[in-house]
Amino acid sequence: LCSVRYTGVAGPAFRQEQHRRTLPPGQEETVTMTVTYAEYQPHVGDQDALKLTVAGTVEETGQVLAKELRVRLHTPELTLTLLGPAVVGQEVPIQVVFQNPLPEPLTGASLRMEGAGIACPKPVSL
């Protein structure tokens, strides 16, 4: 398991597991891997993805099997709601909702609104 930059460049592997299985004819087996936020957080940036590479070998034939999966990490949504009528030339109150999905507090965040008719967008510290 490694991180992949938005440019496609992969970082070094930060987790590896090895499993050895014997499968009877016609059978299948599932191997599950859970990756916690604390484990992948130091390795990813704002626009990164995780890349899982799985490889296997059939001992009896020497056949090699491989599969790769990229998992894009989604950022949470901002919800915008008008709290009053939008009238040209008048202020309009807007509610912005953001829910922190992380298991730790966010600090140093700011919100900046831009748009038509907004003379000087000012960042709001959160």
Side-chain angles (χ1 to χ4, degrees):
L1 187 65
C2 67
S3 64
V4 177
R5 303 283 179 240
Y6 70 94
T7 58
V9 176
F14 62 85
R15 179 163 171 188
Q16 294 180 339
E17 291 185 8
Q18 191 169 30
H19 301 270
R20 190 175 200 94
R21 300 287 194 271
T22 300
L23 290 176
Q27 297 294 310
E28 66 180 46
E29 186 169 333
T30 300
V31 176
T32 302
M33 182 166 108
T34 300
V35 184
T36 65
Y37 172 71
E39 188 174 6
Y40 71 77
Q41 185 272 334
H43 305 280
V44 297
D46 288 347
Q47 297 180 18
D48 291 350
L50 296 176
K51 180 173 79 168
L52 175 64
T53 305
V54 178
T57 304
V58 178
E59 288 184 5
E60 293 79 5
T61 64
Q63 182 182 13
V64 175
L65 309 154
K67 187 76 174 180
E68 184 177 287
L69 174 68
R70 284 191 187 200
V71 178
R72 186 175 173 276
L73 301 170
H74 295 278
T75 54
E77 295 289 325
L78 288 174
T79 303
L80 303 175
T81 306
L82 288 176
L83 299 178
V87 178
V88 175
Q90 295 181 10
E91 290 186 2
V92 59
I94 299 172
Q95 178 186 54
V96 180
V97 177
F98 171 80
Q99 182 176 359
N100 178 4
L102 304 176
E104 60 188 44
L106 292 175
T107 59
S110 66
L111 179 66
R112 179 183 154 128
M113 287 199 216
E114 296 182 17
I118 299 178
C120 301
K122 296 177 185 172
V124 177
S125 296
L126 304 172

